[in-house]
PDB file of all heavy atoms in Angstrom:
ATOM      1  N   GLN A 561     100.791  13.598 134.230  1.00  0.00           N
ATOM      2  CA  GLN A 561     100.589  13.772 135.670  1.00  0.00           C
ATOM      3  C   GLN A 561     101.594  12.974 136.494  1.00  0.00           C
ATOM      4  O   GLN A 561     101.550  13.018 137.728  1.00  0.00           O
ATOM      5  CB  GLN A 561      99.174  13.329 136.047  1.00  0.00           C
ATOM      6  CG  GLN A 561      98.058  14.086 135.347  1.00  0.00           C
ATOM      7  CD  GLN A 561      96.693  13.551 135.712  1.00  0.00           C
ATOM      8  OE1 GLN A 561      96.508  12.921 136.753  1.00  0.00           O
ATOM      9  NE2 GLN A 561      95.701  13.815 134.852  1.00  0.00           N
ATOM     10  N   SER A 562     102.499  12.241 135.839  1.00  0.00           N
ATOM     11  CA  SER A 562     103.453  11.401 136.556  1.00  0.00           C
ATOM     12  C   SER A 562     104.427  12.259 137.356  1.00  0.00           C
ATOM     13  O   SER A 562     104.840  13.340 136.926  1.00  0.00           O
ATOM     14  CB  SER A 562     104.216  10.519 135.573  1.00  0.00           C
ATOM     15  OG  SER A 562     105.236   9.809 136.236  1.00  0.00           O
ATOM     16  N   GLN A 563     104.785  11.747 138.538  1.00  0.00           N
ATOM     17  CA  GLN A 563     105.768  12.399 139.392  1.00  0.00           C
ATOM     18  C   GLN A 563     107.173  11.824 139.196  1.00  0.00           C
ATOM     19  O   GLN A 563     108.112  12.244 139.878  1.00  0.00           O
ATOM     20  CB  GLN A 563     105.349  12.251 140.865  1.00  0.00           C
ATOM     21  CG  GLN A 563     104.008  12.869 141.182  1.00  0.00           C
ATOM     22  CD  GLN A 563     103.971  14.355 140.857  1.00  0.00           C
ATOM     23  OE1 GLN A 563     104.904  15.102 141.164  1.00  0.00           O
ATOM     24  NE2 GLN A 563     102.883  14.801 140.214  1.00  0.00           N
ATOM     25  N   ASP A 564     107.276  10.867 138.296  1.00  0.00           N
ATOM     26  CA  ASP A 564     108.590  10.291 138.016  1.00  0.00           C
ATOM     27  C   ASP A 564     109.410  11.278 137.201  1.00  0.00           C
ATOM     28  O   ASP A 564     108.917  11.830 136.199  1.00  0.00           O
ATOM     29  CB  ASP A 564     108.428   8.974 137.250  1.00  0.00           C
ATOM     30  CG  ASP A 564     109.754   8.296 136.994  1.00  0.00           C
ATOM     31  OD1 ASP A 564     110.264   7.627 137.904  1.00  0.00           O
ATOM     32  OD2 ASP A 564     110.294   8.446 135.872  1.00  0.00           O
ATOM     33  N   PRO A 565     110.684  11.536 137.560  1.00  0.00           N
ATOM     34  CA  PRO A 565     111.488  12.533 136.818  1.00  0.00           C
ATOM     35  C   PRO A 565     111.667  12.177 135.349  1.00  0.00           C
ATOM     36  O   PRO A 565     111.628  13.066 134.488  1.00  0.00           O
ATOM     37  CB  PRO A 565     112.829  12.533 137.562  1.00  0.00           C
ATOM     38  CG  PRO A 565     112.513  11.997 138.921  1.00  0.00           C
ATOM     39  CD  PRO A 565     111.390  11.016 138.746  1.00  0.00           C
ATOM     40  N   LEU A 566     111.848  10.896 135.062  1.00  0.00           N
ATOM     41  CA  LEU A 566     112.054  10.513 133.671  1.00  0.00           C
ATOM     42  C   LEU A 566     110.787  10.706 132.842  1.00  0.00           C
ATOM     43  O   LEU A 566     110.822  11.280 131.746  1.00  0.00           O
ATOM     44  CB  LEU A 566     112.522   9.053 133.603  1.00  0.00           C
ATOM     45  CG  LEU A 566     112.754   8.485 132.203  1.00  0.00           C
ATOM     46  CD1 LEU A 566     113.858   9.247 131.476  1.00  0.00           C
ATOM     47  CD2 LEU A 566     113.094   7.003 132.276  1.00  0.00           C
ATOM     48  N   LEU A 567     109.655  10.264 133.356  1.00  0.00           N
ATOM     49  CA  LEU A 567     108.400  10.416 132.616  1.00  0.00           C
ATOM     50  C   LEU A 567     107.986  11.874 132.508  1.00  0.00           C
ATOM     51  O   LEU A 567     107.343  12.264 131.529  1.00  0.00           O
ATOM     52  CB  LEU A 567     107.303   9.600 133.297  1.00  0.00           C
ATOM     53  CG  LEU A 567     107.484   8.072 133.264  1.00  0.00           C
ATOM     54  CD1 LEU A 567     106.329   7.374 133.963  1.00  0.00           C
ATOM     55  CD2 LEU A 567     107.615   7.580 131.818  1.00  0.00           C
ATOM     56  N   MET A 568     108.338  12.679 133.488  1.00  0.00           N
ATOM     57  CA  MET A 568     108.041  14.106 133.391  1.00  0.00           C
ATOM     58  C   MET A 568     108.811  14.738 132.225  1.00  0.00           C
ATOM     59  O   MET A 568     108.307  15.664 131.567  1.00  0.00           O
ATOM     60  CB  MET A 568     108.404  14.812 134.698  1.00  0.00           C
ATOM     61  CG  MET A 568     107.494  14.440 135.866  1.00  0.00           C
ATOM     62  SD  MET A 568     108.072  15.132 137.439  1.00  0.00           S
ATOM     63  CE  MET A 568     107.935  16.882 137.102  1.00  0.00           C
ATOM     64  N   GLY A 569     110.036  14.255 131.954  1.00  0.00           N
ATOM     65  CA  GLY A 569     110.786  14.758 130.807  1.00  0.00           C
ATOM     66  C   GLY A 569     110.295  14.201 129.488  1.00  0.00           C
ATOM     67  O   GLY A 569     110.352  14.894 128.469  1.00  0.00           O
ATOM     68  N   LEU A 570     109.806  12.953 129.517  1.00  0.00           N
ATOM     69  CA  LEU A 570     109.310  12.353 128.286  1.00  0.00           C
ATOM     70  C   LEU A 570     107.941  12.894 127.888  1.00  0.00           C
ATOM     71  O   LEU A 570     107.619  12.948 126.698  1.00  0.00           O
ATOM     72  CB  LEU A 570     109.245  10.826 128.435  1.00  0.00           C
ATOM     73  CG  LEU A 570     110.578  10.102 128.663  1.00  0.00           C
ATOM     74  CD1 LEU A 570     110.343   8.607 128.810  1.00  0.00           C
ATOM     75  CD2 LEU A 570     111.552  10.371 127.519  1.00  0.00           C
ATOM     76  N   PHE A 571     107.148  13.277 128.873  1.00  0.00           N
ATOM     77  CA  PHE A 571     105.793  13.767 128.609  1.00  0.00           C
ATOM     78  C   PHE A 571     105.611  15.108 129.302  1.00  0.00           C
ATOM     79  O   PHE A 571     105.034  15.182 130.391  1.00  0.00           O
ATOM     80  CB  PHE A 571     104.749  12.760 129.095  1.00  0.00           C
ATOM     81  CG  PHE A 571     104.846  11.420 128.432  1.00  0.00           C
ATOM     82  CD1 PHE A 571     105.600  10.404 128.995  1.00  0.00           C
ATOM     83  CD2 PHE A 571     104.172  11.163 127.246  1.00  0.00           C
ATOM     84  CE1 PHE A 571     105.697   9.167 128.382  1.00  0.00           C
ATOM     85  CE2 PHE A 571     104.261   9.929 126.634  1.00  0.00           C
ATOM     86  CZ  PHE A 571     105.032   8.927 127.193  1.00  0.00           C
ATOM     87  N   PRO A 572     106.146  16.176 128.711  1.00  0.00           N
ATOM     88  CA  PRO A 572     106.001  17.499 129.350  1.00  0.00           C
ATOM     89  C   PRO A 572     104.545  17.951 129.330  1.00  0.00           C
ATOM     90  O   PRO A 572     103.761  17.590 128.444  1.00  0.00           O
ATOM     91  CB  PRO A 572     106.897  18.401 128.490  1.00  0.00           C
ATOM     92  CG  PRO A 572     106.957  17.721 127.164  1.00  0.00           C
ATOM     93  CD  PRO A 572     106.884  16.241 127.445  1.00  0.00           C
ATOM     94  N   THR A 573     104.210  18.756 130.317  1.00  0.00           N
ATOM     95  CA  THR A 573     102.821  19.227 130.420  1.00  0.00           C
ATOM     96  C   THR A 573     102.484  20.240 129.336  1.00  0.00           C
ATOM     97  O   THR A 573     101.338  20.346 128.908  1.00  0.00           O
ATOM     98  CB  THR A 573     102.595  19.854 131.804  1.00  0.00           C
ATOM     99  OG1 THR A 573     103.577  20.880 132.016  1.00  0.00           O
ATOM    100  CG2 THR A 573     102.716  18.792 132.885  1.00  0.00           C
ATOM    101  N   ASN A 574     103.461  21.005 128.888  1.00  0.00           N
ATOM    102  CA  ASN A 574     103.236  22.010 127.844  1.00  0.00           C
ATOM    103  C   ASN A 574     104.180  21.725 126.681  1.00  0.00           C
ATOM    104  O   ASN A 574     105.242  22.353 126.554  1.00  0.00           O
ATOM    105  CB  ASN A 574     103.477  23.430 128.375  1.00  0.00           C
ATOM    106  CG  ASN A 574     102.482  23.800 129.454  1.00  0.00           C
ATOM    107  OD1 ASN A 574     101.287  23.525 129.321  1.00  0.00           O
ATOM    108  ND2 ASN A 574     102.966  24.425 130.516  1.00  0.00           N
ATOM    109  N   PRO A 575     103.841  20.761 125.845  1.00  0.00           N
ATOM    110  CA  PRO A 575     104.735  20.453 124.714  1.00  0.00           C
ATOM    111  C   PRO A 575     104.783  21.611 123.739  1.00  0.00           C
ATOM    112  O   PRO A 575     103.807  22.327 123.542  1.00  0.00           O
ATOM    113  CB  PRO A 575     104.085  19.210 124.097  1.00  0.00           C
ATOM    114  CG  PRO A 575     102.652  19.280 124.500  1.00  0.00           C
ATOM    115  CD  PRO A 575     102.631  19.929 125.855  1.00  0.00           C
ATOM    116  N   LYS A 576     105.971  21.791 123.133  1.00  0.00           N
ATOM    117  CA  LYS A 576     106.154  22.898 122.200  1.00  0.00           C
ATOM    118  C   LYS A 576     105.351  22.691 120.924  1.00  0.00           C
ATOM    119  O   LYS A 576     104.867  23.639 120.326  1.00  0.00           O
ATOM    120  CB  LYS A 576     107.646  23.049 121.864  1.00  0.00           C
ATOM    121  CG  LYS A 576     108.488  23.446 123.066  1.00  0.00           C
ATOM    122  CD  LYS A 576     109.932  23.609 122.665  1.00  0.00           C
ATOM    123  CE  LYS A 576     110.781  24.001 123.866  1.00  0.00           C
ATOM    124  NZ  LYS A 576     112.210  24.162 123.496  1.00  0.00           N
TER     125      LYS A 576
END
Side-chain angles (χ1 to χ4, degrees):
Q561 300 177 23
S562 174
Q563 300 302 316
D564 183 81
L566 179 62
L567 294 180
M568 291 173 63
L570 297 179
F571 300 92
T573 55
N574 296 317
K576 295 181 180 180

